Amino acid sequence: MNTNSTQKRLSAYVLGFVLSLALTACAFALVVMHLLEPDYLVAAILGLALLQIFVQINFFFHFGEGRDGKERLVVLCFAGLIVVIIAGGSLWIMRNLNERMMPDATGMSQYMVEQEGI
Amino acid sequence: MKKEVTAHTQENSASYATVQFGFWLYLMTDLVLFACLFATYAVLRGNTFDGPSGKDIFDANYVLFETLFLLVSSFTAGLALLSAYNKKTSLLVVSLCATFLLGATFLGMELTEFNKLVVAGFGWDYSAFLSSYFTLVGTHGLHIFVGLLWLVALITRVLTHEVSDSLTHKMLLWSMFWHFLDVVWICIFSVVYLMGLI
């Protein structure tokens, strides 16, 4: 490996490392100092995590360099699709199920009044 | 004779590329495994059975240090790969040992955290939340343990053999594994710990 590409790789590692540190610090500070409302906080944390995943894949895995870079990207996208279906789908279904199966105390007594006339 | 050697090298590098692509495929299936555990955790995180929730048991600063150790170890893993490419053996040994120490510290901190919970009576059998928490974080820890064993094998190899193409190939596979675990940990840090602390 020549000096030029070594230099390029080293600066990619340093840049990726510094960016990762900065993003981690941002997410941590947001949570510890309660800088946002909880709903926005969740969105901000997820956004920062996605950004950091992108940074690490970009700077640490050296995507474009291999001759099968394109195939790797295709596999990554497919795995990403499966991840979204599994994680998002589970949350969606289970939340729905919870809503239908477990009414709160007032909902339950209302239901009993309607059904049984108690 | 020379022709034969060239052909052999070409054949080698082609098979290296195939193995690297296959290893990438394995990593992506591992990603799906983690996605299943994440989905389980996300569904069950509220089911605490009147026991502790994430907010009660997570220590923000402790987890931040764990994260920093793993992040730095990912960086030193990159340095190790780079010095393997450039055949700088002493730098390679130093960065591999640094990566090992950082990774081992991370694993030690995680096991200490687990031990504290179990001793306090809040083991994996206490609530659905704790079961999913121990499974998700524990599976990551198990991967880190395997990565550390692999690293010990690599260090032994570097100390006893010359740095060859076959070694840099092995180093590349291991560094992909290690960076992948770092990415998974970022997800755990964000989804389990930070969101648990809100």
Side-chain angles (χ1 to χ4, degrees), chain A residues 6 9 49 52 56 68 72, chain B residues 21 24 78 85-86 182 186 190:
Chain A
T6 302
R9 274 210 167 191
Q52 182 159 185
Q56 294 208 357
D68 46 16
R72 286 190 193 197
Chain B
F21 183 64
W24 180 254
Y85 277 133
N86 289 309
D182 197 30
I186 293 305
S190 306

Side-chain angles (χ1 to χ4, degrees), chain A residues 17-33 35 48 52, chain B residues 64 67-68 71 186 189 194:
Chain A
F17 178 57
V18 171
L19 280 175
S20 296
L21 280 183
L23 289 168
T24 305
C26 271
F28 184 76
L30 279 176
V31 170
V32 173
M33 298 176 184
L35 293 177
L48 285 170
Q52 182 159 185
Chain B
L64 181 67
T67 307
L68 288 182
L71 257 179
I186 293 305
F189 177 64
L194 289 183

